[in-house]
Amino acid sequence: MSHTAKFIRTTVGTHKGAVVGLLIFIGIGIFFQALTPWTFKLLIDNVIGQQPFSSGGIEQWLFGIFSSPLSLGFIVVLIYSGSILFANITDYFTELSLKRFSQTLILDFSKKAFARITHYPLSHFRRTDIGDYIYRLSYDASAIGELFENGVVPLVLNLIAAIVTGTILIFIHPVLGMLGVFMAPILVGMLMWFQRKIGKATRASEYSNSVLFTFIQEVLSQLKVVQAFTREEAEINAFQKKEAQMLNRDVRLAQMQFLLTLCVGVIIVFGYALVISYGIAEVLAGTMTAGFLVAFIFYLDNFTGPLISCVNAVANSKESMERVSRLSQLIEKKETE
């Protein structure tokens, strides 16, 4: 893992421009994401409900010049449409920059691994499974790009979005905000417990895939011998056994990931129930407007969505790191082995 960490730091350092550009796009996207929900509050309360703005408030300062609900509604729709449009454009450039960056990482890593293998002495390949090397170069090399594309960058992006949105939730309504944000520490604790299980299942799945790949390579390379000794049926049975073992371990890994998603969903549903119930009571008591509650729920969506994405990003990072570690171990091997 030390080689992997060093390689990642070196690669990122040589692509500082791409990293900075990516962070700028992420920041712009979060800004538009934070702007959009408040337009529903304006639409429901001040346009449809025709409620006046609070005297001296920021809303009156920004929108008080619009004398009629119709003109205000037009501006609100314009702001909403513009924020969605610019958010989509930002997402496009973010995804494009991330894809290019991840492909650069894959190219650098696979080239380094292939170059390392070509410098092994011939005696090394007489006692090593070549099929395992083929599997690692063809499958594991892409893991470092996936680590950034599906793990590190989405984790950073969604973590920042969750922090920003969580801060907004607490700022605009401390009680409701705390009811919504309380889900975060529960999700983190549950994630830490699941990750140990997922990591173990991932290592077992990767090992089974490598064993099956090596078995196929060995049988096909010695097919004449297999046919000469009429061992076709025995090799078919062996293949079926290894294939079944690989599939069972893949199912076990998927089961842990699905269970994690289910538990996350249960916690989020419980959190939403608390927030909406409290909000309804506030609206009926006249201490909160319906538009504010709707806007708050949209902000809560913007909070829980990134939380779920963070959970998925950590799970993806765990799987990718296992594959990157396998290939980095190959690179670190000494030629004298």
Side-chain angles (χ1 to χ4, degrees):
M1 296 299 292
S2 59
H3 179 85
T4 304
K6 181 179 178 181
F7 173 80
I8 292 175
R9 288 196 301 268
T10 302
T11 304
V12 171
T14 57
H15 298 85
K16 292 181 180 179
V19 174
V20 171
L22 195 58
L23 291 176
I24 292 175
F25 288 133
I26 288 173
I28 296 174
I30 291 175
F31 169 77
F32 285 115
Q33 187 182 47
L35 176 65
T36 305
W38 200 251
T39 58
F40 289 95
K41 191 268 183 190
L42 297 172
L43 184 63
I44 294 173
D45 290 343
N46 306 111
V47 177
I48 299 176
Q50 299 186 27
Q51 297 180 14
F53 294 114
S54 300
S55 179
I58 188 172
E59 290 179 340
Q60 186 183 41
W61 180 71
L62 290 174
F63 304 106
I65 59 174
F66 302 101
S67 56
S68 69
L70 183 61
S71 60
L72 178 61
F74 175 77
I75 294 301
V76 170
V77 171
L78 187 63
I79 293 174
Y80 173 79
S81 303
S83 62
I84 293 295
L85 176 61
F86 282 109
N88 288 334
I89 293 174
T90 303
D91 288 343
Y92 166 77
F93 284 107
T94 300
E95 293 295 331
L96 182 61
S97 300
L98 181 56
K99 174 62 70 173
R100 288 175 175 171
F101 184 60
S102 65
Q103 293 301 313
T104 300
L105 289 176
I106 294 172
L107 179 61
D108 291 348
F109 199 43
S110 58
K111 178 182 177 182
K112 193 176 185 67
F114 185 77
R116 189 72 183 89
I117 293 174
T118 59
H119 285 83
Y120 285 157
L122 294 178
S123 59
H124 173 82
F125 296 99
R126 298 192 186 102
R127 54 182 184 274
T128 304
D129 292 329
I130 297 178
D132 183 58
Y133 286 161
I134 298 175
Y135 174 79
R136 294 192 194 189
L137 282 173
S138 60
Y139 179 67
D140 288 344
S142 63
I144 194 164
E146 295 170 7
L147 176 63
F148 274 82
E149 189 173 351
N150 301 323
V152 175
V153 173
L155 178 61
V156 173
L157 166 62
N158 289 287
L159 187 59
I160 295 174
I163 292 173
V164 171
T165 310
T167 303
I168 293 174
L169 288 172
I170 296 175
F171 177 76
I172 62 177
H173 198 293
V175 177
L176 277 180
M178 291 302 298
L179 286 176
V181 172
F182 94 99
M183 293 182 286
I186 299 177
L187 289 174
V188 170
M190 184 181 62
L191 175 63
M192 293 176 64
W193 185 85
F194 266 98
Q195 282 309 112
R196 291 193 293 269
K197 303 290 185 180
I198 291 176
K200 183 178 179 180
T202 299
R203 288 189 292 271
S205 177
E206 292 297 325
Y207 176 76
S208 295
N209 290 337
S210 178
V211 168
L212 178 63
F213 197 96
T214 299
F215 173 79
I216 294 173
Q217 188 271 334
E218 290 178 347
V219 171
L220 294 181
S221 64
Q222 302 176 20
L223 193 57
K224 291 183 179 180
V225 177
V226 171
Q227 294 176 348
F229 288 90
T230 62
R231 289 189 50 83
E232 293 92 340
E233 194 64 31
E235 299 297 349
I236 291 173
N237 292 334
F239 171 82
Q240 185 177 15
K241 182 178 179 180
K242 295 180 185 297
E243 177 81 6
Q245 186 179 46
M246 181 199 71
L247 294 176
N248 288 335
R249 289 179 174 177
D250 286 346
V251 169
R252 173 62 177 170
L253 174 60
Q255 181 183 16
M256 295 302 300
Q257 293 171 337
F258 293 154
L259 184 59
L260 173 60
T261 302
L262 174 62
C263 292
V264 169
V266 170
I267 293 173
I268 289 178
V269 167
F270 182 70
Y272 267 77
L274 285 178
V275 169
I276 295 175
S277 298
Y278 187 91
I280 291 174
E282 290 279 292
V283 172
L284 294 177
T287 56
M288 180 187 298
T289 65
F292 183 93
L293 178 59
V294 171
F296 192 92
I297 293 173
F298 275 103
Y299 275 118
L300 192 60
D301 283 339
N302 288 351
F303 176 72
T304 56
L307 280 183
I308 296 174
S309 297
C310 283
V311 171
N312 294 331
V314 172
N316 292 334
S317 297
K318 189 70 177 179
E319 181 178 354
S320 297
M321 283 299 295
E322 293 292 340
R323 292 164 56 195
V324 171
S325 176
R326 283 165 47 85
L327 195 56
S328 65
Q329 290 172 4
L330 181 152
I331 297 174
E332 289 176 334
K333 278 187 177 182
K334 298 180 180 178
E335 294 181 12
T336 56
E337 289 184 346

